[in-house]
Amino acid sequence: MFVAHLVSFYFSKLQEDPTKKVDRFLHAMRLNDDQLNELSARFQAELKKGLSAESNAAAAVKMLPTHVCSTPDGSEKGQFLALDLGGSKFKVLQVKVRECVGIKKGDVEMEEKIYPVPDELLTGRATELFDHVSESLKDFMHEKNISLEKKHPLAFTFSFPCDQSRLDQGTLLNWSKNYKARGLQGKDVVQALREAVERTEGLDVEILAMVNDTVATMMTCGFDDSYCEVGIIVGTGTNACYMEELRHIDLVEGDEGRMCVNTEWGSFGDDGALKDFLTEFDREVDAASSNPGKQIFEKMVSGMHLGELVRLVVLKMAKLGKLFDGRVSDALRTKGKITTADVAAMDEYRNGLKNTKDVLDELDLNPSDDDCIAVQHVSTIVSFRSSNLVAAGLAAILTRIRQNRNMGALRITVGVDGTVYKTHPQYPKRLHKVVRRLLPECQVRFVLSESGSSKGAALVAAVAQRLTSLRRQVSETLSLFRLKEEQLQLVKARMRSGLDAGLRSKSSSTIKMLPSFVYLTPDGTERGKYLALDLGGTNFRALLVRFKKQTSRLYHKIYTIPLEIMQGTGEELFDHLAQCVCDFLDYMGLKNTRLPAGFTFSFPCEQSAIDTGTLVAWTKGFKATDSEGHDVVSMLREAIKRRNDIDLDIVALINDTVGTMMSCAHEDQRCEIGMIAGTGTNLCYMEELKNIEKIEQRATKTEEKTQKGEKNENAGAEKNKKDGEMQKMCINTEWGGLGDDGCLDDIITLYDTEVDQNSINQGKQRFEKMTSGMYLGEVVRQVLLDLTRRGLLFKGHVSETLKTPGIFETKYLSQIESDRLALLQVRSILQQLGLHGTCHDSIIVKHVCLVVSRRAAQLCGAGMAAVVDKIRENRGLDHLDIAVGVDGSLYKLHPHFSQVLKETVRVMAPQCDVTFQPSEEGSGKGAALIAAVARRKRDV
Ligand code: BG6
Ligand code: BG6
Ligand code: GLC
Ligand code: GLC
């Protein structure tokens, strides 16, 4: 007996410990901490690669932006339907999220029903799969007595990789796990679901958000734990998401705050990065899968593959005689015969061995006790490797978050879900332990997502709903600026009647139609040296223009006019101009020369001759006293006289539109219109003298006067007209006054009214206030103020900056609207202006700028269409070919204004071909040309 015992003891010593045998056989699956750290480092490199715009295309780990930018804050509310497709179960749910009251967290109520998805639908046509989803939704609503008539908001958990540009859009990159339905890859999944819903009679839902299950899990757990910024799934598939800094997500504009990134870590290794960690069993699992070469990490980790890995190992060991005395059953040879549930059961602490025996008996393997111990150990190693791999991945993500935030220690919560994590008895413990060992400096809490992902999806939808409502309100506000073609036709018609009325009446028309006494466009014979002064645009300029045979040369100096001078007394203003002229002549070495001068004065002047003009009213930012009703040429002459150190021969007073037209006409004889879209807006054009009724009236009156022996101030015009020499005269329309009689009230918004009320010329220049550089920024500011007050912008915070008039100069508007500017740069411009907002705020600001400037360009286009059609009709033509000289900072610097203007003219004046010629040298050259012509005529 004793001997027998001894023999048995000796024999058992000789016989190998079954676990050691397995350890040796599976040594490649047993990962030590060095290997895990190495894996974690590789994984970190993958995260970077996927985030960068340059390497994303080639990256295996796709790092998909989710457009989920915040974790729950308790303010979410609403009642949602939810669909949950892609895990082991397809569910339809109703989720009610109640807003929190005070410090209490809101709560969530859920009802759900699981609907089976027949296998053939997983691999059939995607439309059929989605029809099934939609029908199930309908059935659920019916069962829960949810009205089918109302439009219900819906949240969709779709657990596959999708490239999302918005929350409610997502292109399926590829199927994973056991799904392979045809016709959806590369298509918008939300759209596919919408179409299925449309096909389902009586069903009406609004899909607000589509989220990956990882994201939904993070949100679910985040509802109770605000530190939850990571979500992982270890279920049928495996994946992780986390809150990444927006500045690191190249594929999304913006640099502020965070966005959740769906890593799709299941595809880690698809580019060979895990080659040295793969075993022959992993290769076999991959080769036999429906997507070979894909989801390599997932195939080492997730529930869909763990059972199969165990089966392949056991099969191989059996074949090598290391198990079951070399016996292999048909069942063991059959794919799928060991499931993940089996692996979980075998790994159980108390009943594991018994469970293993049951599993092996099921497989007709008739195992010995050692076989059971060995197979149980195989399943432990396989599932331990899975949790180790997940730990390494998670360590990479947590390290990245810690580095992103520059923190020594990180306190963070990881939300987890998935059947493996939930049902495998040892899995969570092992995972937590390894993560904490790999990252001793992090305080990591793991929270199981008890209520599944739909709660989180509903929370995302609740935020989306709030944003949609925000967007809708912003869009409704901006729609006030979107003019329909009929409205533009009305503007054109009103402009036309304004032009006609202005030609008839001397004083009562809002469009003044001021005769300029410029009859001719230049003929190229102009010679000599001229001085030009240019007041009324952004700057005051003094110029010297020299006309030679074919060429002209231009020298100029820019002077600023301080606000106190613009709005001081007339005498001070003109003294200042005289001072600038003196400085310029001195600078040019011409102080003692009496040069002929053209004076561009960009304000409405009632002229009685080319060299005199009474200021009708100041416009734009000028308001110098004692000037309106006075002859501005005399005022300048007197100011020069007061100095007594220079002399000028002012031969022409012209508006900037006229100067611009002349300047361009010097290059192109077809140029018979001048337009300014700058600080102010205005247009001049060559009108038939016979149509300028007020000159007729004036002529008659002067004739009467002459008969009475009074001085004939219009002698030139009348003589020319009588002689039939001059057929046309340039008319300065002063179209900026359109609407001053209320004729634009139907399109004038409350913001325009506000701008008008705050201006120095209330009720005047209404068209100009909707179209020109001096006011567009103010209109934008008024809209921003209103949106902010309504809580739709800048978090509802009305800053002092925003309350400051004039912060948006045209140049900023132009920069903000530039297509070449990334959102980040827009945000930085706003920051320079003192407007600190999020990227989302920047998008809204940009939209506001876009609609305001587009309306400006369209209104000018409608006005221009009225003018060119009038010229065409004047000439009795079916078709008019004409050129317009244009100038002004809005036209020249704004990225879209000129394009929209041209397009509007094209549509609204189809019988005219209008060529726009930007004036190269400003209206100063035009002023000099007019001076040359005027002097020639005077001297003749
Ligand atoms: C569930 C989610 O809780 O977890 C699913 O609602 C998700 O959407 C799943 O896919 C992951 O686990 P499994 O094991 O079902 O794939
Ligand atoms: C310039 C003219 O070229 O354009 C000015 O010379 C004119 O007289 C100006 O007023 C209009 O542009 P802005 O943008 O300076 O008002
Ligand atoms: C697969 C999917 C992924 C999902 C994961 C868990 O890896 O590609 O989107 O999150 O499974 O369900
Ligand atoms: C204002 C002036 C006008 C000028 C225009 C462009 O509208 O009234 O005379 O042409 O601005 O500068």
Side-chain angles (χ1 to χ4, degrees), residues 672-688:
E672 295 190 71
I673 303 178
M675 179 189 176
I676 297 287
T679 315
T681 181
N682 195 10
L683 175 139
C684 72
Y685 71 101
M686 297 303 289
E687 177 57 274
E688 311 294 313

Side-chain angles (χ1 to χ4, degrees), residues 675-904:
M675 179 189 176
I676 297 287
T679 315
T681 181
N682 195 10
L683 175 139
C684 72
Y685 71 101
M686 297 303 289
E687 177 57 274
E688 311 294 313
L689 263 181
K690 64 177 185 326
N691 291 343
I692 312 174
E693 287 177 39
K694 55 189 179 188
I695 285 198
E696 283 267 5
Q697 290 163 16
R698 196 154 32 174
T700 321
K701 274 192 200 148
T702 20
E703 239 160 57
E704 282 166 10
K705 275 192 203 166
T706 322
Q707 278 167 15
K708 284 187 203 156
E710 290 170 23
K711 187 170 174 263
N712 183 354
E713 55 181 16
N714 278 320
E718 288 151 33
K719 181 173 182 299
N720 288 335
K721 190 166 177 296
K722 275 182 198 152
D723 293 353
E725 267 177 36
M726 309 290 180
Q727 301 297 321
K728 295 183 229 163
M729 183 195 277
C730 179
I731 292 289
N732 164 19
T733 64
E734 288 291 328
W735 77 3
L738 181 73
D740 292 3
D741 56 356
C743 78
L744 294 179
D745 284 0
D746 52 343
I747 59 164
I748 281 177
T749 67
L750 60 158
Y751 309 107
D752 298 305
T753 305
E754 201 63 38
V755 170
D756 179 49
Q757 294 292 310
N758 295 335
S759 70
I760 54 174
N761 53 350
Q762 286 175 15
K764 301 279 179 237
Q765 302 291 99
R766 300 308 302 266
F767 185 74
E768 179 161 85
K769 287 173 183 163
M770 298 162 90
T771 51
S772 78
M774 183 165 162
Y775 303 99
L776 293 192
E778 274 304 278
V779 179
V780 166
R781 192 178 68 86
Q782 288 300 339
V783 178
L784 300 185
L785 259 176
D786 180 50
L787 294 178
T788 310
R789 286 189 181 125
R790 286 158 59 200
L792 304 171
L793 194 64
F794 300 131
K795 296 200 172 85
H797 171 65
V798 180
S799 62
E800 282 308 310
T801 315
L802 198 54
K803 285 194 229 154
T804 315
I807 49 161
F808 276 107
E809 292 172 33
T810 317
K811 66 174 180 201
Y812 294 124
L813 227 71
S814 301
Q815 286 172 16
I816 289 170
E817 289 183 52
S818 163
D819 290 333
R820 280 174 311 202
L821 219 60
L823 207 54
L824 269 186
Q825 291 160 294
V826 173
R827 204 170 136 243
S828 100
I829 294 172
L830 293 176
Q831 273 169 349
Q832 280 165 31
L833 289 173
L835 294 173
H836 300 275
T838 60
C839 273
H840 187 72
D841 290 333
S842 307
I843 295 174
I844 295 181
V845 173
K846 187 169 176 171
H847 270 134
V848 175
C849 293
L850 281 167
V851 291
V852 169
S853 62
R854 184 177 171 81
R855 182 188 67 161
Q858 287 179 320
L859 287 173
C860 288
M864 174 70 77
V867 172
V868 287
D869 260 350
K870 174 164 175 46
I871 298 176
R872 185 181 58 77
E873 285 167 28
N874 279 348
R875 300 180 192 177
L877 298 171
D878 282 338
H879 184 88
L880 175 74
D881 212 340
I882 197 161
V884 183
V886 238
D887 208 344
S889 42
L890 191 57
Y891 185 89
K892 284 187 165 165
L893 301 179
H894 192 279
H896 311 299
F897 185 91
S898 60
Q899 216 33 55
V900 179
L901 169 72
K902 286 175 199 166
E903 179 57 21
T904 313

Side-chain angles (χ1 to χ4, degrees), residues 601 604-608 612-617 627-632 653:
F601 184 72
C605 285
E606 189 72 66
Q607 288 187 254
S608 51
T612 58
T614 308
L615 173 63
V616 179
S627 315
E628 290 175 356
H630 295 267
D631 175 9
V632 290
L653 171 73

